[in-house]
Amino acid sequence: MPRKTARLSFALEDILKRVGENIKLARLRRKITAAMLAERAGMTRMTLSKVEKGDRAVTFGAYASALFSLGLEKDLLLIAGDDPLGRRLQDAGLIHTKQRVPKRKTPAGALP
């Protein structure tokens, strides 16, 4: 049974291709062969080739493993780290929501 993959927009396809190209350029700058990086990352040479092409069928873990093997794992922390739209939406929601003060409890036997 063939594996199903999600359909991606052209913009996402382009982003994945750029990520793959960046991984390949990082490998080449370090003068590491594809076979060496594949071995270090614990994947086949074919999977690394797919990563470097930005193939959408490759797992996120494969991309992460390649980045780790290149010493670039902290770049993963940049993904969705700065969310200006989310922050604006959150700030807008904080301004417009009214917080209710909790009802005061009266001591037993006291008149309200």
Side-chain angles (χ1 to χ4, degrees), residues 78-89:
L78 300 174
I79 298 173
D82 187 25
D83 182 14
L85 174 61
R87 289 180 189 270
R88 284 194 305 260
L89 291 171

Side-chain angles (χ1 to χ4, degrees), residues 20 22-28 30-45 47-49 51-52 62-72:
N22 289 345
I23 289 172
K24 183 175 182 175
L25 289 172
R27 175 179 64 79
L28 294 173
R30 288 162 176 72
K31 299 188 185 323
I32 298 173
T33 67
M36 287 171 49
L37 181 59
E39 183 179 339
R40 290 178 187 176
M43 63 182 72
T44 66
R45 171 70 185 87
T47 302
L48 178 62
S49 175
V51 166
E52 290 182 347
Y63 285 91
S65 188
L67 288 168
F68 177 78
S69 298
L70 292 167
L72 298 171

Side-chain angles (χ1 to χ4, degrees), residues 45-61:
R45 171 70 185 87
M46 180 62 77
T47 302
L48 178 62
S49 175
K50 289 180 179 181
V51 166
E52 290 182 347
K53 291 178 184 173
D55 190 322
R56 66 184 174 146
V58 178
T59 66
F60 183 76

Side-chain angles (χ1 to χ4, degrees), residues 81-99:
D82 187 25
D83 182 14
L85 174 61
R87 289 180 189 270
R88 284 194 305 260
L89 291 171
Q90 182 182 28
D91 292 344
L94 292 175
I95 292 171
H96 297 317
T97 52
K98 294 182 181 179
Q99 296 285 334

